[in-house]
Amino acid sequence: MKEKLVLIGNGMAGVRALEELLKLAPEQYDITVFGGEPYGNYNRILLSPVLAGEKTIDEIMLNDEQWYVDNNITLHKGKWVEDVNRAQRVVRATDGTEEKYDRLIIATGSSPFIIPIPGNEFEGVIAFRDIANVDTMLVAAKKEGGKAVVIGGGLLGLEAANGLMKQGMDVTVVHLMDTLMERQLDKPAGALLKASLEEKGMKFLMEAQTEAVLGKDKVESVRFKDGLEIPADIVVMAVGIKPNIELAKKIGVHCERGIVVSDTMQTFDPRIYSVGECLQHRGQTYGLVAPLFEQAKVCANHLAHLGIARYEGSVTSTKLKVTGIDLFSAGDFQGGDDTEELVLQDPGRGVYKKVVLRDHRIIGAVMYGDTIDGTWYFELLRDSTDVSDIRDHLLFGQAHLGDSGHGDDNRVAAMADTAEICGCNGVCKGEIVAAITKKNLFTLDDVRAHTKASSSCGSCTGLVEALLAHTLGGDYSESPAKKPLCGCTEFTHDEIRAGLRDNELKDIPAVLQFFEWRTPDGCARCRPALNYYLLCQWPGEFRDDSQSRFINERAHANIQKDGSYSVIPRMWGGETTPAELKAIAEVAEKYKVKTVHITGGQRISLFGLQKEELPKIWGDLSKAGLVSGHAYGKALRTVKTCVGREWCRFGTQDSTQMGIDLEKMTWGSWTPHKYKMAVSGCPRNCAEATIKDFGVVCVDSGYELQVGGNGGIKVRVTDYLCSVETAENVKEYAAAYMQLYREEAHYLERTAPWLERVGLTYVKEKIVEDEEGRKALAERFLYAQKFAQDDPWAERAEGGEAHEFTPIKQVG
Amino acid sequence: MSDNNWIEIGKVEDIPRQGARVVTRAEGDIAIFRTVDDEIFALRDKCPHKGGPLSQGIVHGKRVACPLHDWKIHLDSGHAVAPDEGCAARFPVKVEGGVIQLSLTPDEGCPNK
Ligand code: SRM
Ligand SMILES: Cc1cc2nc3c(=O)[nH]c(=O)nc-3n(C[C@H](O)[C@H](O)[C@H](O)COP(=O)(O)OP(=O)(O)OC[C@H]3O[C@@H](n4cnc5c(N)ncnc54)[C@H](O)[C@@H]3O)c2cc1C
Ligand code: SF4
Ligand code: FES
């Protein structure tokens, strides 16, 4: 028989836990839900747009009643649970309905705080929490010239006030403090916000303490401590919420401010879990959706007996959902003695940005007017990235939104539905918005799965996130303290790398077993990563697993859209000879190559070859001394050079020879992502060394070394690493730098984002300042190269991996 | 289905574990997959998205990731993993004494034969 799972509280957190559970273990439990409200599950966040008339109740339903039927979930809607017998494991509702449980989730959310003043029980005094409250407000707003008083100038109060104003009411916001949203904003940002809301017609009474609500049964006015009295048809109290722990307390589950839970979301009674606003975890309670969703995930994982996920707390960020006002805040933005503040103020544009730093890391941010970089700051904050190196332009934003031709058009709200967001997959704004609303998508991953937007090169990720926030009216970006390698595990890239090293795991099955992978043999994301990590960690010992490589690396050629392949032999340092050219010409004729192209990497490519003929072609090229160019691999690609001192009147060193030497030293090595180098003979830089992963610019006194450049999706100019004097130095630094990247970057992370993540200072410490460390890195690189420099083409031309290139059978 | 429909195509060991080989034919190739547990499946070697050769993808669990744009296809049904939609026709296979037998008559229901 199936185990019985009962959920108390049909809100956002509880139902999300069920959704996660159904994904992991759809058959494990008989599920029953008690919900105090008489509906299916709806998106509470969007009550504000409903009140403002921008959305309807139907549009904010997340799971209608049919969903419960489809998933065999019994829904007791409109039934309030009043007691739980923990000894007998029975839940009882006020109407007498009883259900037995094996496991129980308490997700009772929170209740609005009602100020204890005379008159607070009058008709017309309400909170802003559920659909019933919104209905009451909408009825009150029907009255011509109606007046509303909103007590509380926080997020909720302002959204309520804005909605009522949109419904035609005359609204006064009363606030105890001198700054609006003081929990999310500092003074300057709060003042800007107040000014824009006043412009829209909202009235404010600051530093005012409410003393009583006056009227006869029904509210008529509100009186303040200083004697002032203002008329009101409706009073909305939005002064805060408190975790709803009444039931939990009554049944003896340990509570402090909230229901106390462990990292697996279990209360002191291990059969009882809790998720959502009602809980307290490591002393914290939460009032925003993103952390609740993380809790739901962990809870489901534990319920499914996977037992590998832990909740470690969340950092949250906030956006105000008032149309036309852009506001963002995250983390600790007030700062203290040990913090620094970076501030940008542009009253003309109505822009204010503040970033708070401690130990060169972002700990908080407030933005007003231009919030497009909010998600970026939030990511830097969560990853605890050292920002010393980008400090000088931090406030100007990441500007990655302009990359694919979006120009300044970064206000997603103003974009037309037909505007293309994802250039790789041709997805436009309208499609994304439709998918988000119709399919109830909340996260970037959801949008990627359903629309393919942002799933290829990723340069539109910022835009898609902005669209999500805009469409949903809130920021749901998940805030895990750590990002797992893929969906098969909870562990991060770094944890897995360290784990396979410390525990001497030497093949993929051993890693999967050690880290308790959720899938029997991983997926197309983790297997190639693990293959690389093992290969990098155990040179000469690990046997490459070709079935865990993407087709290009498995077949040593690049697959084309029609299933044919391309062949690009190496041309050392971009130099070639008549003999090599002849060999290539002969192959091209013999195999009727459709296109011969000079690549962007100073060499020649042959396009449109059939897989079966590859070994023969490689054999022919091999005879002329040509080897694989690895143009298909996460590996060393090209080393571009200019003619340098040999011919050029400005050349200062032999850049061509330097390029050839570097390529001879590094070819064949596998890297987290592709790796390109260049050597220019003088600062005119004809080989474009300053947009390469590792670049060398020759100067009269020696060589300038450049790192972390990228000429691809997001152009990044290199950072200057240091200058060295001799060609031998160049090689040592090149090998050491490449090895540091090989050992520490995440799979599929190119040097540019890697460098931005760890910081140039860190790389300098390792490569420039620590001579011993540098030499050791270079040595490890050269050692690994002993096992890497076999030409894969020659091997296969001689019959290696024959199954890869021949059909198992031909019929007809 | 009559017995003479089955043809012998090779042994299980001829296909790398977590890999695939191709049976070529004039009407279009058929991909033969071998999972980590040595289960064998056969699908039309043509991705429902834009026709990518599924035999060239990474096999994981009972799925293959298309090499061109990373759609995932269920090996046992030929259907794309949701939310993607589409299918590659499934061909009956059986293994007898380590030898793989394939039927060239695809299952009904999928237009992509
Ligand atoms: C063949 C070549 C185009 C050409 O005919 O010139 C080429 C072809 C491809 N490039 Fe490239 N890139 C080629 C030079 C470049 C360059 C120029 C360079 O190397 O100086 C760049 C920008 C420089 C850089 O990488 O920083 C470049 C930036 C990219 C990117 C973006 C990388 C990034 O980090 O932003 C990708 C996508 C990726 O790797 O994820 C890419 C991906 C691709 C792929 C492999 C796409 C794919 O997965 O199928 C293309 C294969 C086409 C095909 O049908 O075989 N190609 N690609 C060039 C081969 C050079 C070589 O000799 O090896
Ligand atoms: C107007 C508004 C705007 C918001 N805007 C944002 C925003 O922009 N971003 C953001 O992240 N968050 C926002 N929030 C907060 C967010 O909605 C909450 O954090 C979230 O809904 C809490 O989820 P929950 O499941 O813990 O509680 P709830 O969604 O409140 O669900 C609890 C449910 O349990 C029921 N219940 C309680 N006790 C019992 C019982 N004994 N028996 C049966 N049923 C019971 C209640 O009726 C309720 O339906 C907003 C909230 C409001 C009200
Ligand atoms: S060769 Fe490069 S730029 Fe050209 S289409 Fe392919 S990936 Fe894009
Ligand atoms: S062709 Fe298979 S995913 Fe595009």
Side-chain angles (χ1 to χ4, degrees), chain A residues 310-453:
Chain A
R310 302 176 80 77
Y311 180 65
E312 299 181 3
S314 310
V315 220
T316 53
S317 66
T318 313
K319 283 182 183 159
L320 180 72
K321 302 185 298 294
V322 171
T323 309
I325 291 187
D326 277 335
L327 185 154
F328 174 93
S329 82
D332 172 5
F333 51 83
Q334 298 290 15
D337 293 343
D338 55 345
T339 62
E340 296 177 275
E341 289 177 7
L342 307 182
V343 180
L344 182 148
Q345 238 166 331
D346 183 348
R349 277 202 306 145
V351 171
Y352 170 84
K353 293 188 190 183
K354 177 165 106 181
V355 173
V356 182
L357 305 176
R358 181 186 295 133
D359 288 338
H360 314 297
R361 287 172 170 80
I362 298 184
I363 59 160
V366 189
M367 314 167 71
Y368 188 88
D370 175 3
T371 56
I372 203 82
D373 283 303
T375 35
W376 182 49
Y377 294 140
F378 194 43
E379 207 176 294
L380 294 170
L381 182 153
R382 277 185 335 220
D383 293 348
S384 182
T385 306
D386 186 328
V387 295
S388 322
D389 300 321
I390 46 172
R391 187 180 162 128
D392 55 347
H393 51 268
L394 198 58
L395 283 177
F396 300 105
Q398 191 181 23
H400 70 186
L401 295 164
D403 286 352
S404 307
H406 299 293
D408 282 326
D409 193 6
N410 58 9
R411 291 190 178 269
V412 290
M415 283 174 131
D417 275 351
T418 50
E420 188 173 83
I421 302 281
C422 173
C424 293
N425 296 301
V427 192
C428 54
K429 175 184 164 186
E431 279 173 71
I432 299 176
V433 171
I436 295 173
T437 51
K438 297 218 176 77
K439 297 181 181 160
N440 290 327
L441 309 184
F442 280 101
T443 63
L444 182 63
D445 279 346
D446 288 345
V447 174
R448 284 180 175 155
H450 284 266
T451 66
K452 306 293 174 216

Side-chain angles (χ1 to χ4, degrees), chain A residues 478-546:
Chain A
E478 287 192 45
S479 58
K482 49 181 212 172
K483 290 181 205 128
L485 190 151
C486 73
C488 305
T489 179
E490 287 300 318
F491 294 98
T492 62
H493 286 266
D494 293 331
E495 287 168 343
I496 288 166
R497 286 200 97 162
L500 66 85
R501 181 188 61 224
D502 298 344
N503 298 287
E504 305 218 355
L505 308 174
K506 297 196 176 169
D507 58 28
I508 293 178
V511 178
L512 302 190
Q513 201 189 355
F514 183 85
F515 287 101
E516 297 181 347
W517 237 242
R518 281 179 207 151
T519 45
D521 61 342
C523 69
R525 244 169 90 186
C526 57
R527 285 233 308 275
L530 296 180
N531 191 64
Y532 169 72
Y533 291 153
L534 287 162
L535 179 140
C536 178
Q537 183 62 45
W538 311 114
E541 284 183 77
F542 173 64
R543 254 193 74 230
D544 201 294
D545 176 18
S546 55

Side-chain angles (χ1 to χ4, degrees), chain A residues 557-574:
Chain A
N558 202 307
I559 195 167
Q560 310 293 309
K561 58 193 266 191
D562 62 355
S564 68
Y565 288 82
S566 64
V567 165
I568 309 182
R570 235 169 242 297
M571 279 183 177
W572 306 99

Side-chain angles (χ1 to χ4, degrees), chain A residues 15 29 116 203 205 261 306 318 345 376 518 592 638 644 702 710:
Chain A
V15 175
Y29 292 96
K203 294 178 192 153
L205 214 56
V261 294
L306 294 174
T318 313
Q345 238 166 331
W376 182 49
R518 281 179 207 151
K592 304 199 173 55
T638 54
N710 189 313

Side-chain angles (χ1 to χ4, degrees), chain A residues 515-773:
Chain A
F515 287 101
E516 297 181 347
W517 237 242
R518 281 179 207 151
T519 45
D521 61 342
C523 69
R525 244 169 90 186
C526 57
R527 285 233 308 275
L530 296 180
N531 191 64
Y532 169 72
Y533 291 153
L534 287 162
L535 179 140
C536 178
Q537 183 62 45
W538 311 114
E541 284 183 77
F542 173 64
R543 254 193 74 230
D544 201 294
D545 176 18
S546 55
Q547 297 311 326
S548 295
R549 287 200 178 257
F550 293 115
I551 177 60
N552 289 356
E553 296 187 353
R554 196 164 76 233
H556 289 275
N558 202 307
I559 195 167
Q560 310 293 309
K561 58 193 266 191
D562 62 355
S564 68
Y565 288 82
S566 64
V567 165
I568 309 182
R570 235 169 242 297
M571 279 183 177
W572 306 99
E575 205 170 73
T576 184
T577 61
E580 284 182 350
L581 292 173
K582 262 192 220 154
I584 292 173
E586 273 162 21
V587 163
E589 277 185 351
K590 180 166 163 196
Y591 296 93
K592 304 199 173 55
V593 165
K594 299 205 178 73
T595 303
V596 179
H597 190 250
I598 306 288
T599 74
Q602 289 188 339
R603 45 197 193 175
I604 295 175
S605 59
L606 309 173
F607 281 96
L609 297 152
Q610 293 309 308
K611 198 177 180 190
E612 296 86 61
E613 24 179 34
L614 292 174
K616 279 184 280 168
I617 296 166
W618 293 338
D620 289 356
L621 292 171
S622 229
K623 277 181 214 136
L626 289 155
V627 303
S628 165
H630 291 87
Y632 47 78
K634 311 295 174 224
L636 176 83
R637 293 281 178 96
T638 54
V639 183
K640 282 167 76 161
T641 67
C642 69
V643 289
R645 193 174 61 190
E646 280 293 286
W647 298 98
C648 177
R649 61 196 163 119
F650 298 118
T652 60
Q653 311 281 351
D654 191 348
S655 51
T656 322
Q657 192 56 45
M658 171 59 78
I660 294 172
D661 291 350
L662 283 177
E663 191 162 355
K664 294 248 155 145
M665 176 178 83
T666 54
W667 78 277
S669 69
W670 299 103
T671 38
H673 205 307
K674 56 192 178 190
Y675 194 90
K676 302 176 176 182
M677 297 196 266
V679 187
S680 288
C682 83
R684 288 169 193 76
N685 195 12
C686 299
E688 298 161 339
T690 46
I691 48 164
K692 293 290 175 264
D693 295 279
F694 185 86
V696 181
V697 178
C698 302
V699 288
D700 210 39
S701 57
Y703 307 85
E704 282 177 14
L705 307 184
Q706 300 278 346
V707 292
N710 189 313
I713 295 158
K714 185 181 170 204
V715 180
R716 182 182 195 276
V717 172
T718 45
D719 286 310
Y720 167 72
L721 183 72
C722 62
S723 294
V724 296
E725 280 170 21
T726 68
E728 280 316 305
N729 294 151
V730 176
K731 282 184 234 168
E732 181 179 306
Y733 280 73
Y737 178 73
M738 196 161 170
Q739 186 66 6
L740 188 67
Y741 168 63
R742 294 180 77 228
E743 289 178 3
E744 298 191 2
H746 298 165
Y747 189 65
L748 294 189
E749 181 179 46
R750 271 193 87 173
T751 57
W754 169 67
L755 189 72
E756 284 185 0
R757 184 163 63 81
V758 301
L760 178 65
T761 315
Y762 171 79
V763 172
K764 278 189 175 160
E765 273 166 24
K766 293 274 176 183
I767 305 292
V768 185
E769 287 149 31
D770 177 3
E771 186 184 340
E772 221 171 286

Side-chain angles (χ1 to χ4, degrees), chain A residues 223-274:
Chain A
R223 195 180 64 222
F224 300 93
K225 203 147 209 167
D226 61 1
L228 180 73
E229 199 178 311
I230 52 177
D233 298 290
I234 183 171
V235 176
V236 180
M237 291 201 182
V239 290
I241 53 172
K242 52 176 194 302
N244 185 357
I245 55 174
E246 268 162 55
L247 178 68
K249 260 167 111 174
K250 175 171 169 188
I251 64 172
V253 168
H254 179 63
C255 297
E256 287 170 10
R257 264 184 311 143
I259 304 170
V260 178
V261 294
S262 65
D263 286 2
T264 48
M265 313 325 295
Q266 282 163 301
T267 64
F268 277 42
D269 175 343
R271 285 187 182 272
I272 304 183
Y273 295 73
S274 180

